[in-house]
Amino acid sequence: MKYIEEFQDPALAERLLGEIRAAVTRPWALMEVCGGQTHTIIRHGIDQLLPDEVELIHGPGCPVCVTPLEVIDKALEIASRPGVVFCSFGDMLRVPGTGRDLFQVRGEGGDVRVVYSPLDALRIARRNPDRQVVFFGIGFETTAPPNAMTVYQARRLGIPNFSLLVSHVRVPPAIEAIMRSPNCRVQGFLAAGHVCSVMGTGEYPELAARHRVPVVVTGFEPLDILEGVRRTVLQLERGEHFVENAYPRAVRPEGNPAARAMLDDVFEVTDRAWRGIGVIPDSGWRLSPRYREFDAEHRFRVSGIDTREPSACRSGEVLQGLLKPHECEAFGTVCTPRSPLGATMVSSEGACAAYYLYRRLDLPSAASRHPEGSPVV
Amino acid sequence: MSETTEAPDVLAWTCPLPLRERPRVVMGHGGGGALSAELVRDVFAPAYGGPALSVTGDSATVELGGARLAFSTDSFVVRPLFFPGGSIGHLAVNGTVNDLAMSGARPAYLSCGFILEEGVETGVVRRVAEALGEAARTAGVEVATGDTKVVEAGHGDGVFINTSGIGLVPPGVDLRPQRVVPGDVVIVSGPIGAHGVAVMSVREGLEFGVEIESDCAALAGLVETMLAVTEDLHVLRDPTRGGLAAALNEIAAASGTGVVVLERAVPVPAPVANACAVLGLDPMYVANEGKLVAFVPRAHADAVLAAMRAHPLGREAAVIGEAVADHPGMVVARTGLGGTRVVDLPLGEQLPRIC
């Protein structure tokens, strides 16, 4: 665990920055796919340290941000029912559905619990056979395997009162959609290292070749990010576009075969809506037919959901790298973490929240004139 | 949602409604962050606030019969009741003693109210009471009055404790954020984050490879040591809920100065840093129960730091930053790599991230 300090070494960071500065001859726009990477970039001020020619564009890789409103409304509806224990990772509790969030459901008497592993939810189900226990299964290729494992275990152990509310998403189709967008400015990708640690690198070579775009698998510590940027810039400067693994300590080309086998067994690929973006073909997973009985949507027959999304904010553009958070008129004025317009401001990994929390001092927006964080009493 | 499209449909991009009003209390209202402050501002202060009500400091300073008294109250609802390095009994004493000490007071007397849940074992209550007594003796305070209530099973969490305390503020001591001026040196009395991570490790059954103990301790002795160097300390704060970030933000806002923190100078024990990295938490926001942060005039900073380091509870005291004239009301960190970032007041509770 001493890695954390080592991967933040200022001297090594300066050396990588020097190599990036020396290599750059013209402007390049790179997208870091994952919200965790965005968080590292902003928290450590990496974007301030890179040469002006290198622009980092924040991608759609925040699982909380992209979970569609309709699914959150379904979660709220199920969590409100008597006899239900609704389990979720912590950061989903604050994401607004239509008019309220899971924290409020809990405040109204709903049994909403934060768990650190989906297997904790399964344990709760075993201990409470008279209750229906639902786990909110959201996220990318990183969280999907353990959630799949939980359903697999539920069936194997015969735990009938457990179910999964599924809204899993896959990264490669999102990259494909971004590259096909007529407004796309992205010239290179820092692929999400933890996604590749599960899925391997095999999904990217064809994408890189077809769109002539470098894809560098990148980790999450500051030095990982700088190394990812360095390699992407070198490829771009040389006119190359291939898949590189800059995160070999975690990522093998074949990924994690056991996790992939679990995904293949429990889930099947489906079209999936991304909040703020819309439906992307083949971009999600749902439970395969033989596990349908563990599907919370199927079990609870959630209907009559009145999902309403006013078109006030521009998080969809932020999620696709078409807009920087502070370029939105609402940023820091009507839209803050306290009163978010969009999920990108709610989630701690959302690009808007990262900009608001860490960077509003030097942004030319109203936010710096209205520091919401200042206590008023 | 919209129909399947080959490329994202710009016109279909939409966003959710804001949640400006919360009709019911949520956990974040007790988190010591912006939601807590809002509750005090909008509900409590208008209802019963008077000239003596302190809504910013840890305790109120009031005059009575010619004496200057610090007066404070706090409630303790920690789960589990016993954790590595302490218990709810230790917290109930040290929390209130520290709130008084942050006014520069010498804590003297405590009240102690127990709210017990029907069904809790008397043996557990005894252990809590003994821990409380031990903490009071260590802190040099006396429990002078108390109260016991029992609520029906299911209406409590075993044992809740409220303590109030009074102490004498020595003449010449005036600790208030309003006294902070640009140039003041910011000192923290030791490594941060241990209490929050210790409680989380037992509450959530998380294991981090090494046991992390709470830093729970009474700080009145340390404060006395510091005041012996100079009465001219500007402000003290114990960074409990909301952590160091909340304490610095409160001082910045109340003083109207900016605060710059050197991120690499903030002492964080390696096990705490690692646990936070795993959970996606920022140690700056994690609760402490035996640490203080001090704003000290530059001329006295070296002497105060030396005195703190000579005290058992300040051995690892460190200068972590300074008050500045720039960005009034805001806390800014200089990152290890040389960038800068805003350190904001937390909204409510920190939430472990999904991945």
Side-chain angles (χ1 to χ4, degrees), chain A residues 26-239:
Chain A
R26 56 197 169 109
W28 298 112
L30 318 182
M31 173 176 276
E32 83 277 1
V33 170
C34 175
Q37 293 168 329
T38 303
H39 196 77
T40 299
I41 288 163
I42 304 298
R43 187 177 189 280
H44 293 274
I46 290 171
D47 54 331
Q48 300 165 327
L49 303 171
L50 287 169
D52 290 343
E53 290 88 347
V54 179
E55 181 189 1
L56 291 177
I57 296 175
H58 315 305
C62 165
V64 174
C65 301
V66 300
T67 301
L69 180 60
E70 189 187 2
V71 175
I72 293 168
D73 281 346
K74 285 177 179 169
L76 295 166
E77 214 276 325
I78 293 170
S80 303
R81 294 193 185 187
V84 167
V85 181
F86 194 88
C87 302
S88 170
F89 293 128
D91 47 6
M92 281 308 290
L93 267 63
R94 207 149 50 202
V95 181
T98 302
R100 59 183 184 154
D101 59 22
L102 283 167
F103 268 127
Q104 277 177 296
V105 170
R106 193 158 80 174
E108 289 159 13
D111 193 346
V112 178
R113 302 187 194 180
V114 173
V115 295
Y116 296 84
S117 157
L119 290 170
D120 292 342
L122 201 58
R123 206 168 299 129
I124 292 169
R126 293 185 82 168
R127 287 183 190 156
N128 297 275
D130 56 330
R131 311 277 299 275
Q132 283 290 331
V133 177
V134 184
F135 181 72
F136 200 177
I138 71 145
F140 289 88
E141 291 91 333
T142 48
T143 52
N147 293 351
M149 165 66 89
T150 310
V151 174
Y152 173 85
Q153 289 282 33
R155 194 170 81 156
R156 192 176 71 84
L157 300 170
I159 303 175
N161 60 323
F162 175 83
S163 59
L164 192 68
L165 179 61
V166 193
S167 185
H168 281 299
V169 278
R170 301 172 59 232
V171 164
I175 292 182
E176 175 71 30
I178 287 164
M179 290 310 294
R180 291 175 75 151
S181 167
N183 303 319
C184 177
R185 296 194 297 121
V186 179
Q187 294 164 293
F189 285 97
L190 308 182
H194 53 3
V195 167
C196 296
S197 72
V198 174
M199 302 304 290
T201 54
E203 295 180 297
Y204 296 105
E206 198 212 326
L207 240 164
R210 186 148 30 90
H211 295 290
R212 304 182 61 78
V213 62
V215 177
V216 177
V217 178
T218 304
F220 298 88
E221 293 299 330
L223 292 188
D224 291 326
I225 302 284
L226 288 173
E227 175 63 5
V229 170
R230 187 186 74 87
R231 293 204 197 188
T232 314
V233 166
L234 285 176
Q235 280 199 44
L236 288 166
E237 289 285 344
R238 291 176 190 144

Side-chain angles (χ1 to χ4, degrees), chain B residues 199-256:
Chain B
V199 170
M200 195 178 293
S201 69
V202 279
R203 184 167 65 197
E204 313 296 352
L206 302 171
E207 291 176 13
F208 302 114
V210 49
E211 183 172 273
I212 298 170
E213 285 206 349
S214 167
D215 58 350
C216 186
L219 296 167
L222 177 64
V223 172
E224 210 164 322
T225 304
M226 295 165 71
L227 286 169
V229 176
T230 173
E231 287 173 349
D232 190 25
L233 304 177
H234 284 169
V235 70
L236 300 178
R237 192 62 58 97
D238 61 334
T240 53
R241 292 170 313 163
L244 188 59
L248 293 176
N249 269 284
E250 284 167 17
I251 292 170
S255 66

Side-chain angles (χ1 to χ4, degrees), chain A residues 4 15 17 37 43 69 74 282 286:
Chain A
I4 293 170
R15 201 167 83 196
L17 280 164
Q37 293 168 329
R43 187 177 189 280
L69 180 60
K74 285 177 179 169
D282 294 335
R286 65 180 171 204

Side-chain angles (χ1 to χ4, degrees), chain B residues 305-341:
Chain B
L305 185 67
M308 291 174 78
R309 286 181 171 164
H311 190 281
L313 293 177
R315 263 198 301 267
E316 295 175 76
V319 171
I320 58 166
E322 62 177 336
V324 295
D326 296 338
H327 50 81
M330 284 175 101
V331 181
V332 170
R334 298 226 187 288
T335 71
L337 300 189
T340 58
R341 67 178 172 105

